[in-house]
Amino acid sequence: LVDLIIDAGLEIVVEGGMVRGEINGLEVARIVHGETTAGEPIDEPQLEVGVGKADRELTAMVHSGLPAVDQLGRVVEIVREHRRPGAPRHPLNQLVPDRWLRAVLCRTPGLVGLASLRPAEGARPRPNLTARDVAIAAGETPDGDPVVVACSVGIALDLVPVAADGRAAADATGPPSRLVLAVPERDDHPLIRRLGARLRAPADVAPISGDWRAAG
């Protein structure tokens, strides 16, 4: 099942013990264990395809006769058409922009002066696809030092405390990490910088200029 996700060209993200496949930060597939999204018990892992809970359940009902690879290909084609730089405004390119920004930085960590980045779990689960949130990534500086990056799009007043919690979660199993707040240049608000500077280990702000969607 993981190979199916990889062969479809999706980004692999593991959160909450679950393997997910994403397109520019938007989940389009997941591997479920024990029971389906609809709550039906299953004896072996199963690939569910769709954007959000309702879409996964609908795909499972309407396209149950299709092999998993064909279900996945159908959804990937639709989402890729809309979730790309320069695409006309559409619900699929408005969801979870923080995770889209994280996906861009994981592909091109040099945008924030880092050597590597990968998706990481935050201290709290995401509530849903429409709520604005903060996406956490972890990686290394060019010198090999650990770093945690908190990605946010729009003015998020809870960015700094959520980022600090994300760093604390990452540091629980490793050495202290530098904390970077990655935001589009237009969202580089003085309040965020003041709050970041008040942390016991202050956070750095890394504004990304221009069209960040096209940067990676």
Side-chain angles (χ1 to χ4, degrees):
L1 297 181
V2 172
D3 287 343
L4 285 179
I5 295 174
I6 293 173
D7 290 345
L10 302 182
E11 305 145 6
I12 295 288
V13 178
V14 180
E15 289 181 345
M18 186 176 297
V19 177
R20 309 165 193 258
E22 297 184 348
I23 297 174
N24 281 327
L26 180 63
E27 180 188 338
V28 298
R30 63 171 57 182
I31 298 174
V32 295
H33 303 258
E35 65 177 25
T36 66
T37 294
E40 298 176 359
I42 51 178
D43 296 328
E44 58 184 17
Q46 180 174 308
L47 184 69
E48 290 192 341
V49 176
V51 178
K53 181 176 184 291
D55 192 31
R56 289 194 302 274
E57 292 182 355
L58 183 62
T59 298
M61 288 190 296
V62 176
H63 301 285
S64 59
L66 283 178
V69 64
D70 294 328
Q71 291 184 27
L72 186 58
R74 170 186 164 275
V75 172
V76 166
E77 182 180 1
I78 294 171
V79 174
R80 284 201 190 282
E81 172 62 25
H82 297 289
R83 199 167 177 85
R84 57 181 175 81
R89 186 181 178 89
H90 186 276
L92 289 174
N93 54 43
Q94 301 303 305
L95 298 170
V96 290
D98 51 288
R99 294 175 76 91
W100 190 343
L101 177 57
R102 179 176 71 177
V104 167
L105 296 182
C106 286
R107 291 194 293 265
T108 52
L111 286 173
V112 286
L114 301 177
S116 66
L117 269 181
R118 63 190 180 279
E121 291 199 57
R124 67 183 186 190
R126 167 174 291 283
N128 53 62
L129 289 176
T130 57
R132 290 298 178 100
D133 203 5
V134 177
I136 303 296
E140 293 184 342
T141 68
D143 295 328
D145 297 324
V147 62
V148 169
V149 177
C151 306
S152 176
V153 177
I155 304 298
L157 296 181
D158 62 345
L159 169 57
V160 173
V162 171
D165 287 345
R167 175 170 60 181
D171 290 352
T173 57
S177 301
R178 174 189 168 202
L179 181 60
V180 175
L181 310 177
V183 296
E185 192 172 44
R186 68 176 183 273
D187 299 328
D188 182 10
H189 195 278
L191 175 61
I192 301 299
R193 288 185 174 267
R194 289 200 298 270
L195 291 174
R198 295 184 64 181
L199 293 174
R200 183 174 301 168
D204 299 318
V205 177
I208 297 143
S209 59
D211 183 1
W212 58 265
R213 291 177 178 84

